[in-house]
Amino acid sequence: MSTKQLLLTAEEVAVLNEQFVGKTPQEILQLAFEKFDNISFACSFGAEDVALVDMIVKIKPDAKIFYLDTDVLFEETYQVRDEILNKYNANLIKYSPLLSLEEQADQHGDNLWATDANACCNIRKVEPLQRALSTLDAWITGIRRDQAPTRANAGVIEVDTKFNLIKFNPIALWTWEDVWAYIRANDVPYNKLHDQNYPSIGCIHCTRQVAPGEDPRAGRWAGNDKTECGLHK
């Protein structure tokens, strides 16, 4: 874990969070880019994140945007990545796991996602994220409070104690309806799996459709008590 010095104290972050909790996502992003030169947006190409890409490039066209390519993403995810790149000429940076799927199978057995989902996420998501964040002073995410109980207390600006960074969550207070209203109003490319009852989209093997009335994240690691991949505390 990084031992670098935070550029804002916890007290300063708490004050900023109090000041900006009622501001627009664009105002929060503006603050993020004013405060930090060495900052990047972590994009999964889900609905929240494509909306944020649209906001970000309108504020700072050359902003760094990184994504984690686990090698087992849906084809539709790669399609929307390409659409985002073509529409916005976004500065996309790819981080991949250190192990190929074949090497992972050799070392840990076939279908690790089924036998030990946490280990698979650590290899294919968490370690690449650690590499990405190790170069930064702050990062931006598409977390929303109503996505999951684990995110219910997310601040719009907070100290990420897991990765020792400042973390901006510009749409933390937005609803799912807010996200889609923005996508439609701004003609933002989005993952077409959202039209097929996939509100939360991860890797192929660990994502399923959500039935009417189910929790939006019920399709992630179904049949497992796992609710987060480890990217967020």
Side-chain angles (χ1 to χ4, degrees), residues 45 67-75 77-78 202-204:
F45 302 107
Y67 68 100
L68 308 178
D69 188 347
T70 64
D71 301 318
V72 281
L73 300 178
F74 285 89
E75 183 58 36
T77 302
Y78 292 115
C203 297
I204 293 171

Side-chain angles (χ1 to χ4, degrees), residues 71 89 125 202 209 226:
D71 301 318
N89 193 28
K125 285 183 158 184
Q209 290 171 302
K226 182 176 171 63

Side-chain angles (χ1 to χ4, degrees), residues 39-43 48-49 52-53 56 64-66 140-142:
I39 186 171
S40 185
F41 171 48
C43 182
E48 292 88 352
D49 289 358
L52 278 166
V53 168
I56 286 169
K64 289 186 290 185
I65 300 170
F66 74 86
I140 301 164
T141 86

Side-chain angles (χ1 to χ4, degrees), residues 210-230:
V210 171
E214 277 193 304
D215 183 275
R217 285 180 68 83
R220 303 294 297 278
W221 307 286
N224 195 313
D225 60 3
K226 182 176 171 63
T227 59
E228 294 280 359
C229 54

Side-chain angles (χ1 to χ4, degrees), residues 22 63 71 74 80-82 98 108 112 115 122 126 164 168 180 192 233:
D71 301 318
F74 285 89
V80 74
R81 175 202 61 187
D82 293 344
L98 295 177
H108 301 280
L112 182 61
T115 59
N122 284 338
V126 178
N164 196 37
F168 291 84
W180 282 99
K192 295 307 182 284
K233 183 177 173 63

Side-chain angles (χ1 to χ4, degrees), residues 5 8 27 34 40 48 86 89-90 105 133 159 161 176 193:
Q5 186 73 32
L8 294 174
E27 289 172 314
E34 287 174 358
S40 185
E48 292 88 352
N86 291 336
N89 193 28
L133 297 185
V159 175
T161 56
W176 186 236
L193 288 175

Side-chain angles (χ1 to χ4, degrees), residues 22-218:
K23 302 288 188 181
T24 66
Q26 291 89 340
E27 289 172 314
I28 296 165
L29 288 168
Q30 191 71 49
L31 174 73
F33 293 125
E34 287 174 358
K35 290 285 186 183
F36 294 95
D37 293 324
N38 193 16
I39 186 171
S40 185
F41 171 48
C43 182
S44 69
F45 302 107
E48 292 88 352
D49 289 358
V50 295
L52 278 166
V53 168
D54 185 87
M55 297 180 207
I56 286 169
V57 297
K58 288 173 179 175
I59 294 169
K60 186 174 172 59
D62 63 344
K64 289 186 290 185
I65 300 170
F66 74 86
Y67 68 100
L68 308 178
D69 188 347
T70 64
D71 301 318
V72 281
L73 300 178
F74 285 89
E75 183 58 36
E76 290 85 349
T77 302
Y78 292 115
Q79 288 172 358
V80 74
R81 175 202 61 187
D82 293 344
E83 290 174 25
I84 289 289
L85 185 60
N86 291 336
K87 176 167 183 170
Y88 301 106
N89 193 28
N91 182 13
L92 295 181
I93 303 163
K94 180 173 81 169
Y95 284 85
S96 299
L98 295 177
L99 297 182
S100 68
L101 291 170
E102 293 76 15
E103 290 168 334
Q104 177 173 300
D106 288 342
Q107 295 184 27
H108 301 280
D110 292 333
N111 305 329
L112 182 61
W113 45 83
T115 59
D116 191 341
N118 285 323
C120 189
C121 281
N122 284 338
I123 292 168
R124 314 212 71 76
K125 285 183 158 184
V126 178
E127 190 283 328
L129 179 70
Q130 289 172 335
R131 267 187 284 129
L133 297 185
S134 69
T135 67
L136 303 174
D137 294 316
W139 65 312
I140 301 164
T141 86
I143 279 180
R144 293 185 299 105
R145 289 181 180 177
D146 69 1
Q147 284 173 325
T150 50
R151 302 178 178 187
N153 296 316
V156 296
I157 308 160
E158 57 189 7
V159 175
D160 186 333
T161 56
K162 179 170 185 174
F163 296 109
N164 196 37
L165 294 171
I166 306 303
K167 184 177 183 179
F168 291 84
N169 306 311
I171 59 171
L173 276 64
W174 269 23
T175 64
W176 186 236
E177 290 72 25
D178 292 331
V179 172
W180 282 99
Y182 185 93
I183 287 172
R184 295 186 191 101
N186 293 276
D187 194 27
V188 180
Y190 67 88
N191 192 318
K192 295 307 182 284
L193 288 175
H194 289 310
D195 295 333
Q196 302 173 40
N197 298 320
Y198 286 86
S200 179
I201 302 167
C203 297
I204 293 171
H205 304 291
C206 299
T207 307
R208 67 159 173 81
Q209 290 171 302
V210 171
E214 277 193 304
D215 183 275
R217 285 180 68 83

